[in-house]
């Protein structure tokens, strides 16, 4: 029986779906299964006095073949399909991409219809495909879908495309628009991550390697969990409205914790406001201007929460406590290796903005309320940032020198205000996260005391003066408790840490040797005229690439710098010469990256040896 056969394979991966499908109350009276002209089955769906077929009444297989043929999958690593229906298009899609390792995500909001599909068609190959992912539920959960997809993709290097069954828009109903909006958000997020990684990946990974010893010693963000519970946190960004109320922040010392983004620290200090925590999330050269000329003498009690990819010379010279907060999706292999040596650092999920990091830190601290100040996410008064910030421009000058998109949105007063595409994305991230937190029953209050800018959904709009009067009257010593805890922190190292370093150094040297051999064989290929000898050399190159592929997961070097080339050498090129050029570029990058990594790791190894007194 097809149903039992399909279900047996499906429940290996998704045991919870068996309970959904075998629920005796699962029924949809709108569905009628009918036979097509070629003897297959299609579904007749009735809703609101209308009825329609979900697949062709003549030949659903041919229809699916035509639909899938129109889908461009070159360079695509994941296809998100809206609508399982009777599944003909999915069988065809599977046949098209199964040999390419493309991920297939299916979103279906009608379990009763899905049950009918697995009664009439054999999906065992599809369900057994290791890159098949099914999201099946009739009560749509926005956060659930986003987490499900993001949990199974490379959040940096994935190339997603959307494939919508044409009839899905009818039987999905109003839910379809919500799902499409969430999927577009994921695709936009991945594209933004990819763009950032391409521009900054090499710099980030070099910074991370330089910070390796610090990461072995210093605490991770998990150490801060719950340490400011029930007390107010003020998250200060560099929006233009900060000019209106920044002076009031002088009055919150020991009454609220001030978490400031890097871009606003110099402005705060000039106004005699010393933040309790500073957050940094971008390890690129443009960020260094926030630290040039900074009065470090006033920051000995200020915590710096940083990504591991920030500049080592800044982190080493920071006078106050240093805490690492790794992100998701970037250099995870290196970070996981570090954590094997010293323990889990913790993670804070952000949407890519330093203000996001400051906000989720406040939430991790269990602060209540969490107050936004200077978080315009728009060009209030046609100004980009607070006066005195290194990035402050008027909107006209900003648009002259930018290739970003601009749009109008509603501000906190209901009026229209200009914003930028990346600001708008950051706003959407805040809106979604706050909604998700509230839907989970969290009672934390979120207050927007920016006094201008975009309307952040889920926040109570107040003036900063009202916030201080309502929430910041009582003193507390929780900041001092945090400083004491961080001062006492001591990481426990893996007893075999030196052996682990030696193994990585050895593997890097072997990779360099393989890459040097690869260069020699590419030269031989170019001079080879004999087909038999040519094939022998090709096999040797495949062997070299296979060995490199195995070893590259056990070393630490500049993965992002060579990622695209590494993927390209495994596809067909227009000419052999182009392929050879890519191979040469790939091997040279391996040699260069491994050589640099060896030098940096050697320096860290010496520090560890001295630390242990060996």
């Amino acid at each position: 029986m097809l149903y039992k056969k399909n279900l047996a394979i499906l429940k290996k991966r998704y045991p919870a779906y068996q309970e959904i499908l075998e629920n005796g109350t699962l029924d949809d009276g709108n569905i009628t299964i009918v036979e097509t002209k070629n003897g297959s089955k299609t579904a007749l769906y009735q809703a609101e006095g209308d009825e329609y077929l979900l697949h062709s009444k003549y030949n659903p297989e041919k229809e699916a073949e035509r639909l899938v043929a129109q889908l461009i999958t070159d360079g695509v690593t994941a296809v998100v399909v809206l609508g399982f229906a009777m599944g003909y298009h999915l069988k065809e899609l599977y046949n098209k991409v199964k040999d390419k390792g493309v991920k297939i995500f299916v979103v279906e909001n009608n379990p009763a219809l899905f049950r009918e599909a697995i009664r009439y068609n054999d999906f065992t190959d599809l369900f057994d495909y290791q890159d098949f992912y099914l999201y099946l539920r009739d009560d749509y959960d926005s956060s659930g879908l986003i987490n499900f997809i993001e949990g199974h993709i490379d959040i940096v290097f994935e190339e997603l495309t959307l494939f919508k069954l044409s009839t899905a828009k009818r039987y999905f109903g109003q839910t379809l628009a919500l799902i499409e909006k969430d999927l577009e958000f994921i695709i936009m997020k991945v594209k933004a991550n990819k763009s950032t990684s391409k521009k900054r990946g090499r710099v980030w990974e070099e910074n991370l390697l330089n910070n390796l010893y610090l990461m072995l010693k210093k605490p991770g963000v998990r150490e801060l969990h719950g340490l400011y519970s029930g007390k107010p946190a003020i998250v200060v960004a560099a929006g233009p409205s900060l000019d209106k109320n920044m002076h009031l922040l002088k009055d919150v010392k020991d009454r609220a914790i001030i978490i400031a983004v890097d871009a606003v620290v110099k402005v705060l200090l000039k106004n005699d406001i010393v933040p309790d925590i500073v957050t940094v999330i971008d390890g690129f050269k443009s960020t260094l201007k926030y630290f040039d000329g900074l009065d470090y003498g006033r920051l000995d009690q200020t915590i710096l929460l940083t990504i591991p990819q920030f500049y080592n010379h800044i982190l080493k010279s920071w006078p106050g406590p240093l805490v690492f907060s790794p992100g998701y999706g970037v250099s995870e292999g290196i970070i996981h290796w570090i954590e094997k040596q010293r323990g889990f650092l913790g993670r804070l999920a952000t949407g890519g903005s330093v203000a996001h990091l400051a906000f989720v830190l406040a939430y991790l601290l269990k602060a209540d309320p969490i107050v936004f100040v200077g978080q315009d996410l728009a060009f209030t008064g046609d100004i980009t940032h607070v006066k005195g910030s290194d990035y402050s421009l008027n909107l006209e000058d900003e648009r002259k020198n930018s290739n970003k998109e601009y749009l109008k949105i509603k501000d906190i007063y209901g009026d229209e205000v200009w914003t930028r595409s990346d600001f708008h994305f950051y706003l959407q991230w805040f809106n979604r996260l706050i909604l998700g937190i509230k839907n989970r029953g969290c009672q934390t209050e979120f207050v927007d005391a920016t006094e201008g800018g975009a309307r952040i959904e889920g926040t109570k709009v107040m003036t900063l003066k009202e916030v201080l009067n309502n929430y910041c009257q009582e003193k507390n010593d929780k900041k001092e408790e945090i400083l004491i805890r961080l001062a006492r922190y001591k990481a426990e190292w893996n007893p075999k840490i030196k052996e682990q370093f030696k193994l990585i150094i050895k593997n890097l040297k072997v990779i360099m040797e393989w890459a040097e051999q690869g260069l020699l064989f590419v030269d031989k290929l170019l001079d080879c005229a004999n087909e038999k000898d040519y094939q022998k050399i090709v096999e040797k190159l495949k062997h070299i690439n296979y060995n490199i592929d195995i070893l590259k997961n056990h070393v630490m070097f500049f993965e992002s710098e060579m990622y695209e080339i590494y993927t390209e050498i495994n596809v067909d090129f227009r000419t052999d010469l182009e392929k050879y050029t890519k191979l040469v570029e790939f091997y040279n990058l391996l040699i260069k990256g491994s050589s640099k990594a060896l030098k940096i790791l050697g320096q860290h190894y010496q520090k560890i040896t001295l630390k242990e007194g060996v």
Side-chain angles (χ1 to χ4, degrees), residues 511-512 515 548 557 562 586-595:
I511 281 182
M512 290 176 69
I548 289 173
F557 52 56
M562 62 190 78
F586 176 64
Y587 293 139
N588 279 326
L589 279 172
L590 278 173
I591 294 168
K592 178 183 175 184
S594 297
S595 177

Side-chain angles (χ1 to χ4, degrees), residues 334-366:
I334 301 176
I335 292 170
H336 287 160
W337 183 90
I338 292 169
E339 289 176 328
K340 285 180 181 178
Q341 315 310 318
R342 49 115 328 126
F344 185 57
L345 289 157
R347 298 287 187 276
L348 291 176
T350 75
S353 161
V354 67
H356 293 160
L357 180 60
F359 173 76
V360 292
L361 172 62
Y363 186 64
L364 177 84
L365 288 164
K366 292 192 175 180

